[in-house]
Amino acid sequence: MVGIFFTNMVKYFRKTGVSIMKRREFIINSAIAVGGTALLAGCGKKEIIKHDGEISKRRFRDLEIPLLGFGCMRLPMQGEEVDTQEVDRMVDYCMQHGANYFDTAYMYVDGRSESVMGKSLKRYKREDFILADKSPIYKMKTKADIRKIFDEQLKKCQVKYFDFYMAHNINKNTYDTYKQTEMHKELLELKKEGKIKYVGFSFHGSPDILKEVVAEGNWDFCQLQVNYLDWDVVKGKEQYEIAQSAGIPVTVMEPLRGGGLVNLSDKALAELKNNYPNTTPAEFGLRWAASLGNVVTVLSGMSNLEQVKENIKTFENYKDMDENEKLVANKIAKIIQSQGEINCTACKYCMEVCPRGINIPAIFSLYNQYKVSGVAMMFKIYYESLAEEEQGHNCIKCNLCNKNCPQNLDIPSLLAKVEEEYQKIKNLERK
Ligand code: SF4
Ligand code: SF4
């Protein structure tokens, strides 16, 4: 039926002389709409499931998925090593409370996340946990690399299949490689072979590219950056709606924006506390994302047992946000935006390619804190406490970092801006 629809549409284009560009756009939008109509029946507001002693869940196909997922990109460290004992404690606490969804990736924790999580989860029966992993597009030279790295990932995670598996980080810079290597086709092949249960993609690009990816069809889910600040800042709303109208359920990454929505400025925190004195910023941010009806799970990159406990508590007594809470979230977002933050989520992808080893996320974080607090001296002290080679003045403007930044930041320009501010503060001190 869909085939007949497209054949008729192409005939219509020929008759009316619509331009090739317009045809392409129309076909993509129509594919989304057709796919959406077919799938939306099963994609309304997903009902909350609650079992005694467990956190709230939502149904996804044959699974019940916990609303809180464990993002394994900020694992606890002891010096240079991952603190595997703390990881085990965190995993155990999650498993005891029904939070059995774990999301890892090839590059997380400098390539160590998969092995550490594999070892920890090996203590449980395979069918008792849900494991998500991702194909690192940036590593692929040929189609054969996809399977080679996939096999390596299965080995590192000590499993025979992944429940959820994604093309990792589709954006304007990775999109060509993603297409050239026919990654979508290859992932569907692995699904046919029973090595992947559900195929998806994680996304950091523009809505236009998202529409093209969605139009390929056969997606079980997608992973989007959704939080109340990015809803407008990086077009989170538009992206969420594209997925929703195509009937593709969403797993949420960066619901707290790499900690940025936990450490609120005094003004933003006052807005929250004046309205909801007993609510923590973390709880508020996680519930905001989970309240979206097409969301299956909200991933939190937790780094210690305390964070796990706090987040589990949020989802033990979970209820969707009401209209007033959403209004307050909107006001907090406006306050943060007015305080001139750099939209860095501290993912560190830029650092993987920087030939000068500049600590870009740390510099942006210091700058943001300074803008929020207004305390110039603290900014200067902390900035100078970075190793000399990590500071922004070493930037040679090669632009390699920009290609890796999922937030599309113009990193060299921002580094120059921060450096200029630092020099100003330094000169003032001399006078
Ligand atoms: S532009 Fe600067 S910060 Fe970016 S990769 Fe090059 S040297 Fe590093
Ligand atoms: S600048 Fe971009 S790539 Fe680097 S840590 Fe921040 S968000 Fe990630």
Side-chain angles (χ1 to χ4, degrees):
M1 190 188 147
V2 173
I4 295 168
F5 171 81
F6 282 111
T7 312
N8 288 340
M9 200 161 59
V10 170
K11 279 183 194 157
Y12 170 78
F13 286 144
R14 282 197 190 118
K15 258 194 210 163
T16 53
V18 174
S19 74
I20 289 173
M21 226 13 243
K22 284 246 162 55
R23 288 178 201 181
R24 187 165 161 262
E25 202 176 301
F26 184 77
I27 288 172
I28 287 170
N29 287 331
S30 304
I32 292 171
V34 170
T37 316
L39 290 164
L40 269 173
C43 190
K45 174 104 185 164
K46 290 176 178 50
E47 148 204 16
I48 302 288
I49 304 163
K50 187 79 183 73
H51 299 296
D52 278 352
E54 290 193 343
I55 64 168
S56 298
K57 298 188 170 186
R58 283 207 171 118
R59 177 154 293 288
F60 174 85
R61 312 280 177 85
D62 61 327
L63 295 171
E64 286 182 4
I65 309 261
L67 260 180
L68 172 71
F70 188 152
C72 309
M73 78 288 280
R74 298 186 186 99
L75 296 177
M77 303 297 287
Q78 225 174 23
E80 293 295 302
E81 299 302 319
V82 179
D83 184 347
T84 51
Q85 285 184 358
E86 180 75 345
V87 170
D88 284 351
R89 284 191 283 271
M90 293 161 79
V91 167
D92 292 344
Y93 196 86
C94 283
M95 293 297 285
Q96 284 154 16
H97 292 81
N100 62 343
Y101 188 103
F102 300 89
D103 174 274
T104 186
Y106 191 81
M107 58 162 66
Y108 287 174
V109 199
D110 297 329
R112 287 175 285 178
S113 173
E114 290 170 326
S115 311
V116 169
M117 294 314 295
K119 193 160 173 248
S120 188
L121 290 168
K122 183 81 184 154
R123 299 170 304 137
Y124 292 89
K125 279 199 235 147
R126 179 65 186 90
E127 61 273 24
D128 288 347
F129 61 88
I130 300 163
L131 186 58
D133 206 341
K134 313 182 187 78
S135 190
I137 304 174
Y138 79 101
K139 291 278 291 180
M140 306 305 171
K141 300 249 174 322
T142 65
K143 191 175 176 181
D145 290 339
I146 298 173
R147 202 169 269 265
K148 203 169 122 215
I149 287 181
F150 181 85
D151 288 340
E152 192 189 319
Q153 291 176 299
L154 285 179
K155 225 186 211 166
K156 281 165 89 181
C157 292
Q158 304 191 42
V159 293
K160 292 199 167 63
Y161 66 92
F162 291 113
D163 301 276
F164 287 67
Y165 194 78
M166 289 158 260
H168 192 184
N169 187 13
I170 299 181
N171 63 37
K172 66 176 189 310
N173 302 308
T174 58
Y175 191 41
D176 283 347
T177 310
Y178 161 79
K179 283 191 291 188
Q180 278 155 17
T181 54
E182 300 186 306
M183 185 173 276
H184 186 212
K185 220 167 141 191
E186 190 64 6
L187 299 192
L188 290 175
E189 204 45 54
L190 286 160
K191 182 180 174 182
K192 250 196 237 158
E193 294 167 23
K195 293 177 178 165
I196 298 173
K197 274 195 174 178
Y198 300 110
V199 169
F201 61 91
S202 72
F203 191 80
H204 284 290
S206 65
D208 283 351
I209 298 181
L210 180 59
K211 282 183 189 172
E212 290 191 13
V213 176
V214 160
E216 289 180 64
N218 287 317
W219 294 112
D220 296 309
F221 72 105
C222 67
Q223 192 149 302
L224 300 178
Q225 179 170 322
V226 175
N227 59 59
Y228 65 80
L229 182 57
D230 291 329
W231 200 234
D232 292 323
V233 175
V234 293
K235 299 190 174 152
K237 180 170 188 276
E238 205 176 330
Q239 295 186 10
Y240 174 81
E241 286 172 353
I242 291 168
Q244 186 177 35
S245 63
I248 303 176
V250 172
T251 55
V252 169
M253 57 184 157
E254 302 292 1
L256 301 175
R257 217 157 188 273
L261 296 182
V262 177
N263 304 310
L264 296 176
S265 66
D266 290 348
K267 201 173 165 198
L269 188 62
E271 181 66 38
L272 174 65
K273 292 293 178 186
N274 288 342
N275 286 281
Y276 301 103
N278 300 321
T279 301
T280 65
E283 177 189 347
F284 196 69
L286 292 173
R287 278 188 52 235
W288 185 91
S291 296
L292 296 163
N294 191 33
V295 164
V296 179
T297 190
V298 175
L299 300 167
S300 175
M302 298 177 278
S303 302
N304 58 52
L305 186 58
E306 281 320 298
Q307 289 172 0
V308 172
K309 286 183 179 174
E310 188 189 338
N311 290 346
I312 295 262
K313 203 164 141 212
T314 299
F315 287 98
E316 271 177 336
N317 307 305
Y318 175 81
K319 68 178 180 16
D320 282 345
M321 275 195 162
D322 60 30
E323 286 315 306
N324 192 56
E325 286 175 301
K326 288 179 194 165
L327 217 66
V328 171
N330 204 14
K331 280 188 193 160
I332 296 174
K334 292 225 156 40
I335 292 171
I336 297 171
Q337 281 161 31
S338 72
Q339 289 172 324
E341 277 207 9
I342 297 173
N343 298 324
C344 169
T345 60
C347 67
K348 298 185 182 171
Y349 293 170
C350 51
M351 290 183 69
E352 285 165 18
V353 290
C354 177
R356 305 305 298 262
I358 297 170
N359 197 339
I360 299 160
I363 292 170
F364 290 167
S365 166
L366 291 177
Y367 182 78
N368 285 341
Q369 281 163 22
Y370 159 50
K371 285 289 139 182
V372 168
S373 68
V375 187
M377 263 320 112
M378 287 313 287
F379 167 66
K380 182 177 170 292
I381 290 167
Y382 280 113
Y383 190 77
E384 288 173 353
S385 73
L386 291 172
E388 211 282 325
E389 62 273 17
E390 287 184 334
Q391 294 177 8
H393 64 84
N394 292 301
C395 175
I396 50 168
K397 298 191 169 32
C398 63
N399 282 326
L400 286 172
C401 50
N402 282 354
K403 294 191 182 123
N404 259 22
C405 180
Q407 306 306 321
N408 290 321
L409 297 178
D410 184 356
I411 295 170
S413 307
L414 288 167
L415 284 175
K417 180 176 142 179
V418 177
E419 182 67 21
E420 195 187 329
E421 189 93 11
Y422 164 69
Q423 291 298 342
K424 255 195 235 162
I425 296 167
K426 217 166 122 181
N427 289 338
L428 272 179
E429 197 188 36
R430 281 199 196 115
K431 279 180 189 166

